């Protein structure tokens, strides 16, 4: 196990004060903070190695290209995938949209069903709604229970013969409730009862906390963002099984992905990696992301998971002792990863968030880009605290103390 | 600073908001929500001349749920709008609302909450 207090020292922003109080950053599901090694990797790239990739015969071009490929390999390795299976995109949202625009466009026809869940972030919901509208297909949703779990029974009773499901899209970990999806059971069920269904998993909230081995997962698409796992903003990954990738048309057209271009016609490069990389890639961000992967590997992803698990359990325990607090979502720590969400009786989420901010505590209040989920649970908004490797139980103690201030200010 | 924001006067306004309630026979009903945080307002207006929405407002009432900023802001706005016309709304801006609420400058993240009532009325 690592020492979170020591880890904290690697993150310069955590030395900040807010309203003259030490910053307690509990909004990691929104974005994570970055360690010095990631910040340095990005600036060093621009200081020493910056040049475009694949396009020069000079030393800088060479160094940049090597760094690009090396970083790409590191990230693919981190996710237990082959290098050719990793497409570099801007973020999870773009990754899902890309699947909708390429695979979806070419495979979804009238009458098809796309299965999502009531837990989904808007980025894993809206693209499917739009695709279904365009194609006269249907989106259906695996319901969520009152305790925030996916209703597996519903899925077990689903008539796949009557309603052919072309795609199942669901979150590995819910960004709002932290619900850990039973991935193995779901995948087994689908492979058994609906073998032609493609499976996409939104791993944005899983990647920071759980060890992931794409090649062992038997799913077709897995998506994630670097900035949630201590990498920079502006870069993310779309993992696609090779057999599926080979059937896809390019998404973006232009430089780098072509074989030959004339005014009349163009052919595309055979190499899968290059075919799906149009234009100048964000090498610096990829280098930064690789540094974040290395940092996490150094801590050990099993340790990272256990650390998070401890914090989730501690938060559930301490928050349920605050009278006005109502926990939303799974109450058993084994079902919950990364975040604990709650409502505060009699005080609106935004007001709670504001008072917490006055004590230096950063949380997220609102609907967390999951409006359908909030509607289902009968909530206008909620407060979410979410963790990363530098958070400690002291952070949660500070949160609870600050909630007492809410009580003082609002008399509730 | 938080004590500036959530001072007793403001909390009192939200406990006993002005002109709170529905209005039967309203000439105009407006509904507005702040999607990002779940604030919502419904505004009921009766004009002096029922057929003319540019005529002075006879009664304005409102109902809603949401954060202190949006509800308090609407309460002050409701007080101001009695007997005024919808055109008089132009006199009210963010600064004026901040002044009523006794806040020096609202945080960027709360501006939408502050302006919710105005946003609704502008749609009339």
């Amino acid at each position: 196990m690592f020492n979170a207090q020591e880890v904290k020292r690697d993150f310069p922003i955590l030395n900040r004060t807010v309203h003259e109080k030490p910053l307690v950053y509990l909004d990691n599901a929104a974005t994570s903070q970055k360690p010095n090694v990631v910040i340095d990797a990005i600036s060093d790239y621009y200081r020493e190695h910056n040049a475009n990739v694949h396009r020069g015969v000079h030393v800088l071009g060479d160094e940049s290209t090597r760094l690009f490929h090396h970083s790409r390999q590191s990230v693919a390795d981190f996710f237990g995938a082959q290098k050719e299976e990793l497409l570099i995109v801007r973020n999870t949202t773009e990754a899902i949209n890309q699947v909708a625009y390429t695979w979806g466009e070419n495979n979804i026809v009238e009458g098809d069903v796309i299965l999502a869940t009531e837990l989904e972030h808007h980025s894993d919901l809206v693209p499917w709604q739009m695709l279904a509208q365009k194609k006269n297909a249907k989106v259906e949703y695996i319901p969520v229970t009152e305790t925030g779990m996916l209703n597996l029974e519903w899925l077990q009773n689903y008539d796949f013969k009557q309603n052919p499901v072309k795609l199942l899209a669901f979150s590995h970990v819910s960004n709002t409730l932290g619900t850990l999806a039973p991935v193995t059971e779901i995948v087994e069920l689908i492979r058994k009862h609906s073998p032609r269904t493609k499976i996409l998993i939104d791993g944005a909230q899983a990647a920071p906390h759980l060890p992931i081995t794409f090649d062992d997962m038997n799913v077709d698409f897995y998506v994630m963002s670097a900035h949630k796992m201590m990498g920079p903003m502006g870069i993310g990954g779309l993992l696609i099984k090779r057999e599926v990738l080979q059937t896809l048309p390019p998404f973006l057209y232009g430089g780098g992905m072509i074989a030959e271009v004339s005014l009349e016609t163009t052919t595309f490069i055979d190499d899968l990696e290059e075919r799906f990389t149009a234009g100048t890639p964000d090498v610096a961000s990829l280098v930064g992301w690789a540094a974040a992967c290395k940092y996490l590997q150094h801590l050990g992803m099993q340790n990272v998971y256990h650390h998070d698990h401890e914090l989730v359990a501690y938060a559930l325990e301490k928050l349920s002792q605050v009278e006005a607090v109502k926990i939303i979502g799974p109450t058993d720590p084994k079902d919950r990863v990364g975040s604990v969400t709650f409502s505060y009786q009699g005080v609106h989420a935004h007001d709670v968030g504001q008072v917490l901010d006055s004590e230096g505590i950063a949380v997220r209040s609102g609907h967390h880009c999951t409006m359908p989920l909030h509607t289902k649970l009968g909530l206008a908004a909620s407060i979410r605290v979410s963790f990363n490797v530098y958070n400690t139980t002291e952070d949660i103690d500070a949160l609870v103390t600050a909630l007492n201030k809410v009580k003082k200010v609002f008399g509730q | 600073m938080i004590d500036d924001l959530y001072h007793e006067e403001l909390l009192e306004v939200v406990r006993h908001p002005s002109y709170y309630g529905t209005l039967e026979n309203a000439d105009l009903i407006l509904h507005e929500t702040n999607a990002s945080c779940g604030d919502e307002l419904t505004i009921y207006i009766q004009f002096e001349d029922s057929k003319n929405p540019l005529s002075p407002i006879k009664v304005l009432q409102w109902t809603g749920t949401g954060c202190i900023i949006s509800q308090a802001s609407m309460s002050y706005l409701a007080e101001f709008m009695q007997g005024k016309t919808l055109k008089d709304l132009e006199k009210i801006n963010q600064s004026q609302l901040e002044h009523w609420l006794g806040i020096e400058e609202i945080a960027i993240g709360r501006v939408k909450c502050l302006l919710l009532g105005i946003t609704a009325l502008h749609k009339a």
Side-chain angles (χ1 to χ4, degrees):
Chain A
M1 255 321 261
F2 56 83
N3 183 327
Q5 288 288 7
E6 272 174 32
V7 164
K8 203 167 163 177
R9 289 190 210 120
D10 293 336
F11 294 77
I13 203 170
L14 296 177
N15 294 319
R16 268 203 64 161
T17 56
V18 164
H19 302 298
E20 288 155 28
K21 308 246 163 59
L23 169 66
V24 174
Y25 188 76
L26 289 170
D27 192 18
N28 292 284
T31 199
S32 61
Q33 302 303 344
K34 323 301 170 196
N36 280 315
V37 289
V38 168
I39 301 169
D40 290 343
I42 296 168
S43 346
D44 286 349
Y45 172 79
Y46 282 122
R47 283 204 182 97
E48 317 255 323
H49 306 291
N50 180 53
N52 210 326
V53 294
H54 304 138
R55 283 164 176 80
V57 292
H58 50 74
V59 165
L60 280 181
D62 221 48
E63 285 176 7
S64 182
T65 302
R66 271 181 224 280
L67 272 171
F68 177 70
H69 284 299
H70 187 74
S71 304
R72 197 168 178 167
Q73 184 71 62
S74 298
V75 176
D77 288 345
F78 181 83
F79 288 104
Q82 306 305 309
K83 194 150 148 274
E84 316 80 71
E85 292 174 322
L86 173 65
L87 269 54
I88 302 299
V89 293
R90 210 165 45 113
N91 49 34
T92 304
T93 301
E94 185 170 286
I96 296 172
N97 273 272
Q98 181 157 337
V99 174
Y101 277 106
T102 54
W103 180 87
E105 204 30 64
N106 285 286
N107 287 277
I108 298 292
V109 297
E110 184 161 356
D112 277 344
V113 175
I114 299 170
L115 208 50
T117 85
E118 288 179 338
L119 277 179
E120 294 315 297
H121 185 284
H122 298 160
S123 65
D124 197 25
L125 209 144
V126 181
W128 309 124
Q129 281 181 355
M130 295 296 112
L131 178 63
Q133 258 176 44
K134 196 167 164 194
K135 298 283 188 173
N136 247 334
K138 246 192 324 176
V139 189
E140 291 187 29
Y141 302 91
I142 303 174
V144 67
T145 67
E146 259 174 37
T147 51
M149 308 286 284
L150 283 178
N151 189 337
L152 266 195
E153 212 182 301
W154 184 95
L155 190 62
Q156 281 154 358
N157 294 330
Y158 191 85
D159 189 341
F160 289 99
K161 288 197 172 49
Q162 183 87 305
N163 313 295
V165 174
K166 272 277 179 63
L167 175 77
L168 164 64
F170 68 98
S171 298
H172 197 156
V173 170
S174 159
N175 73 298
T176 293
L177 301 183
T179 305
L180 176 60
V183 171
T184 314
E185 283 104 308
I186 294 177
V187 172
E188 256 173 41
L189 198 154
I190 297 293
R191 292 305 179 214
K192 186 168 173 199
H193 296 287
S194 187
R196 288 170 60 196
T197 302
K198 290 279 180 288
I199 303 177
L200 179 144
I201 297 187
D202 176 352
Q205 299 293 340
H209 307 290
L210 302 174
I212 289 155
T213 312
F214 179 65
D215 285 347
D216 290 345
M217 282 180 90
N218 199 9
V219 302
D220 303 284
F221 309 99
Y222 195 96
V223 300
M224 63 287 198
S225 297
H227 74 94
K228 302 224 194 256
M229 49 180 286
M230 301 192 288
M233 289 175 172
I235 194 164
L238 166 53
L239 290 168
I240 310 183
K241 278 282 183 310
R242 195 195 264 108
E243 315 85 73
V244 178
L245 186 58
Q246 278 162 346
T247 68
L248 294 182
F251 180 44
L252 298 173
Y253 296 92
M257 50 78 67
I258 49 90
E260 273 195 59
V261 181
S262 71
L263 290 182
E264 291 76 39
T265 190
T266 294
T267 56
F268 306 118
I269 202 162
D270 286 330
D271 182 298
L272 283 181
E273 261 183 67
E274 298 195 40
R275 180 183 277 231
F276 291 96
T277 310
T280 301
D282 190 340
V283 183
S285 292
L286 183 58
V287 169
W289 193 9
C293 290
K294 194 164 168 197
Y295 187 88
L296 281 167
Q297 273 163 333
H298 183 71
L299 295 177
M301 286 311 287
Q302 286 296 346
N303 294 327
V304 168
Y305 168 67
H306 283 122
H307 173 78
D308 178 76
H309 184 75
E310 262 177 39
L311 291 176
V312 168
Y314 191 78
L316 284 171
E317 186 198 327
K318 293 293 169 186
L319 285 171
S320 47
Q321 288 165 6
V322 180
E323 208 185 316
V325 162
K326 177 161 179 265
I327 302 283
I328 302 164
T331 46
D332 190 335
K334 75 166 174 27
D335 296 324
R336 197 159 194 159
V337 173
S339 57
V340 174
T341 308
F342 60 95
S343 60
Y344 194 100
Q345 196 136 337
V347 185
H348 195 270
H350 258 200
D351 294 320
V352 175
Q354 189 99 60
V355 174
L356 291 176
D357 172 66
S358 74
E359 292 297 302
I361 300 173
V363 301
R364 174 92 185 260
S365 49
H367 56 62
H368 318 298
C369 298
T370 50
M371 283 170 88
L373 175 63
H374 278 75
T375 306
K376 172 83 185 253
L377 297 176
L379 297 163
S382 57
I383 303 135
R384 178 188 69 191
V385 299
S386 51
F387 314 113
N388 210 311
V389 295
Y390 37 75
N391 290 116
T392 61
T393 51
E394 283 83 11
D395 292 339
I396 295 166
D397 292 335
L399 168 72
V400 172
T401 306
L403 286 175
N404 288 330
K405 186 169 181 188
V406 174
K407 186 173 181 174
K408 267 211 298 239
V409 170
F410 290 93
Q412 309 256 40
Chain B
M1 254 156 64
I2 198 68
D3 305 306
D4 293 341
L5 181 53
Y6 291 121
H7 53 95
E8 193 49 39
E9 213 180 281
L10 198 62
L11 295 173
E12 194 50 37
V13 164
V14 177
R15 280 186 210 120
H16 304 288
S18 305
Y19 297 100
Y20 193 90
T22 58
L23 197 64
E24 272 181 45
N25 309 316
D27 297 320
L28 182 63
I29 302 178
L30 301 161
H31 187 72
E32 192 70 32
T33 56
N34 182 348
S36 68
C37 69
D39 296 332
E40 55 137 340
L41 294 172
T42 310
I43 304 175
Y44 308 83
I45 306 179
Q46 236 174 48
F47 298 99
E48 292 287 354
D49 177 357
S50 283
K51 297 197 182 63
N52 183 5
L54 292 175
S55 66
I57 290 172
K58 193 163 160 195
V59 183
L60 182 150
Q61 301 241 113
W62 65 280
T63 59
T65 54
C67 70
I68 298 260
I69 304 293
S70 66
Q71 307 301 298
S73 193
M74 187 61 227
S75 179
Y76 283 110
L77 199 59
E79 278 178 15
F80 172 81
M81 290 305 288
Q82 306 302 325
K84 304 272 193 319
T85 66
L86 285 175
K87 200 155 184 332
D88 287 322
L89 195 62
E90 283 165 26
K91 299 187 186 126
I92 307 303
N93 57 15
Q94 181 174 325
S95 247
Q96 176 64 73
L97 291 168
E98 283 167 348
H99 178 75
W100 280 336
L101 267 63
I103 303 164
E104 226 177 270
E105 201 184 336
I106 198 114
I108 291 182
R110 305 304 292 274
V111 169
K112 267 199 188 155
C113 309
L114 186 73
L115 298 178
L116 197 64
I118 296 190
T119 308
L121 286 171
H122 270 308
K123 291 190 179 160

